[in-house]
Amino acid sequence: MSQTDVIEVRPSLSESLQDIADTHRVDAALAWLDTHPPHVIADQLARMDAVQAGMAFRLLDKDLALAVFEELEPVDQQQILQGLRDQSFRDLIEGMAPDDRARMLREAPAKVAKKVLAGLSPRERRMTAALLGYPEGSAGQYMTPEVVALPQNLTVAEALSMVRAKGANAETVYTLPVVDAGRRLTGIVELRELVLSKPDTMIAELVVTEPVCARATDSAEKAARLMRETNDINMPVVDSENRLVGLLTIDDAVEVIEAADSEDVARQAGSAPWEGHYMAAGVFQLARYRAMWLLLLLFAATLTVSVTDMFEGTLQQAAHLALFIPLLIGAGGNAGAQAATACVRALAVGEVRVTDLLKVIWRECRVGLVLGSMLAAAGLVIGGLFVDLRVALVVGITLVLICGWAATIGGTMPLLAKKLRIDPAVVSAPMVTTLVDATGLIIYFTTAKLVLGI
């Protein structure tokens, strides 16, 4: 092979794995895979179709394949698995962490799940089945059961010896739960403390008693956000009798928060959340996720049409009022969306509770009135340039009232949804905007009738 030929198979710095796969250059693909970390390879595979992703994945060596596979989302993992031969399939599944394996199986078709469980060793099958038994979205489903639990009567030397003996089979050894004879959690000790302490020190002297922990049936999102607040890298997970059942690790906590935030963002934008990579989703798939909400909002927007029709006589007497309808409903909708977004976020991170409803109403009402007053000053100037001062005054007063009303509605609806056990993000920005549009017009025309005497 000439030097020119060697250079040709090397991927350029600007080429992606997708570009290489499109031109069917195996040597270039191998060179690209050898020079990129697992998370980058996983991102590229998620962007590709099933055939290309499967072909590229089979070029990876066993260890790198496992690392890349665990970086993929469950929907992308299923896509890869469907193209593997039986032995490759079993090797890959057996090497996965039990919590990652359980998350993939929850979203996999029954045929794939059955095949996965059948190919596992008895030990891995038991751990996976136990995780699958916890409620959907619970901490138990996301925790790792592979934990080194230390008896409370050990010395530091004995504890380190146990970590060396069992640590290879554990997902993490940085946080070591300490348990009594009944495996009830009594505290935790960090590996750093053991390494820096004298060998004959009793670990009971180093244990952090009453550590922050989660119940296996608790919401995984709630546990993950608690980890963020306490700056823990691992959190013990216990059952109803305080027996240790696993650890929620920081990498899984980050995934839980990312998934929850992604779902909230999609719902706030008036779209159903989807799984997998955005670039791999088809046009009709994305349209399908968005269509339902757009149709619902279209029907809801008929309220605005009905209100306009109701005040048709008012518009005929003061045609200039129609000029400011887009300005007013836009300002009100934006003010409501801002309040709704702030409230959904505050609910998600625990800054606001349902019991704070009256406080939130009072706060958002005042915020809306302040914003409305600021906009009213600008509205009077804008109105004065196009119409007489009386109509401009109507616009100014309406801006104050609409913004106060919109902010109150925007801050209230997510809390009421939470109380009714509805996802607050579902009734946030799009629904608030639609509701405020209709009620804002009622405020506008009512104000006009009072001020203009029509």
Side-chain angles (χ1 to χ4, degrees):
M1 182 180 289
S2 66
Q3 184 177 5
T4 303
D5 293 332
V6 173
I7 294 174
E8 285 178 350
V9 301
R10 294 175 182 171
S12 68
L13 294 177
S14 61
E15 278 189 306
S16 66
L17 185 58
Q18 176 75 67
D19 296 331
I20 297 169
D22 288 340
T23 55
H24 307 290
R25 290 177 291 148
V26 176
D27 290 337
L30 286 169
W32 191 95
L33 293 170
D34 286 341
T35 56
H36 289 81
H39 71 278
V40 175
I41 298 174
D43 179 72
Q44 289 291 306
L45 293 178
R47 293 169 177 262
M48 301 163 70
D49 62 41
V51 175
Q52 290 182 328
M55 292 177 63
F57 187 82
R58 282 193 288 271
L59 297 176
L60 299 169
D61 63 60
K62 183 177 179 180
D63 292 337
L64 181 57
L66 178 58
V68 170
F69 192 77
E70 291 192 332
E71 292 286 345
L72 292 168
E73 293 295 321
V75 64
D76 299 316
Q77 290 175 337
Q78 295 168 36
Q79 178 175 279
I80 296 295
L81 286 178
Q82 290 171 357
L84 295 180
R85 295 179 179 178
D86 285 348
Q87 187 56 49
S88 299
F89 181 97
R90 286 194 293 270
D91 290 343
L92 191 61
I93 294 301
E94 184 74 20
M96 290 181 70
D99 53 328
D100 293 333
R101 187 190 304 126
R103 281 200 296 279
M104 181 196 70
L105 290 180
R106 281 194 300 274
E107 302 176 23
K111 183 178 179 180
V112 175
K114 184 178 179 180
K115 184 178 179 181
V116 169
L117 290 173
L120 294 174
S121 64
R123 176 178 179 272
E124 295 293 332
R125 189 183 303 120
R126 283 194 302 272
M127 287 191 293
T128 303
L131 292 174
L132 289 171
Y134 289 108
E136 181 68 27
S138 65
Q141 285 197 333
Y142 285 86
M143 71 181 184
T144 172
E146 296 179 308
V147 181
V148 178
L150 302 176
Q152 57 188 354
N153 58 349
L154 298 181
T155 64
V156 166
E158 292 170 335
L160 288 173
S161 178
M162 180 176 285
V163 172
R164 295 187 190 98
K166 299 182 177 181
N169 295 323
E171 184 169 332
T172 179
V173 294
Y174 298 113
T175 301
L176 300 164
V178 179
V179 296
D180 62 15
R183 202 174 170 77
R184 284 182 290 272
L185 182 70
T186 60
I188 59 170
V189 62
E190 301 293 336
L191 180 62
R192 179 177 183 274
E193 295 296 328
L194 297 182
V195 173
L196 297 178
S197 299
K198 295 180 180 179
D200 58 349
T201 302
M202 298 299 295
I203 65 170
E205 300 177 23
L206 307 174
V207 169
V208 176
T209 58
E210 298 183 2
V212 176
C213 63
R215 298 281 185 187
T217 53
D218 287 348
S219 162
E221 182 184 352
K222 179 181 177 182
R225 295 194 186 279
L226 180 59
M227 285 181 66
R228 186 176 65 178
E229 292 176 9
T230 57
N231 295 319
D232 290 330
I233 59 172
N234 299 293
M235 178 183 287
V237 181
V238 297
D239 63 14
S240 59
E241 298 180 1
N242 205 44
R243 287 192 297 262
L244 179 73
V245 290
L247 281 178
L248 181 62
T249 57
I250 187 63
D251 57 327
D252 291 327
V254 169
E255 288 185 9
V256 169
I257 293 175
E258 180 184 2
D261 289 347
S262 297
E263 181 178 345
D264 286 347
V265 168
R267 294 195 185 281
Q268 286 175 335
S271 172
W274 68 88
E275 296 175 348
H277 202 291
Y278 169 80
M279 296 302 295
V283 171
F284 288 103
Q285 180 185 4
L286 291 175
R288 177 166 55 85
Y289 282 120
R290 299 177 187 178
M292 182 186 71
W293 276 103
L294 287 178
L295 287 172
L296 288 174
L297 293 173
L298 179 65
F299 286 116
T302 57
L303 290 172
T304 303
V305 177
S306 299
V307 171
T308 305
D309 182 62
M310 185 188 310
F311 288 95
E312 183 179 3
T314 304
L315 281 174
Q316 289 176 348
Q317 296 181 58
H320 287 157
L321 292 174
L323 296 174
F324 299 96
I325 290 178
L327 182 151
L328 293 169
I329 64 176
N334 290 335
Q338 288 176 339
T341 301
C343 192
V344 169
R345 182 257 176 199
L347 274 171
V349 300
E351 295 177 355
V352 169
R353 300 179 179 85
V354 175
T355 54
D356 295 323
L357 178 60
L358 294 179
K359 294 180 180 178
V360 170
I361 291 175
W362 175 232
R363 170 183 288 268
E364 289 297 339
C365 179
R366 288 181 294 162
V367 171
L369 291 174
V370 170
L371 291 172
S373 299
M374 296 167 60
L375 295 178
L380 285 171
V381 175
I382 295 172
L385 296 175
F386 296 97
V387 293
D388 62 58
L389 289 178
R390 289 201 308 159
V391 175
L393 180 61
V394 170
V395 173
I397 294 173
T398 304
L399 278 170
V400 175
L401 297 176
I402 281 183
C403 287
W405 169 244
T408 303
I409 290 295
T412 302
M413 288 188 68
L415 288 169
L416 293 177
K418 184 77 171 178
K419 187 174 181 63
L420 297 174
R421 300 185 183 279
I422 301 173
D423 186 348
V426 173
V427 294
S428 58
M431 290 300 292
V432 168
T433 300
T434 304
L435 178 60
V436 169
D437 286 351
T439 54
L441 287 180
I442 294 175
I443 294 172
Y444 180 40
F445 291 127
T446 302
T447 303
K449 292 180 74 172
L450 293 175
V451 174
L452 301 179
I454 56 178

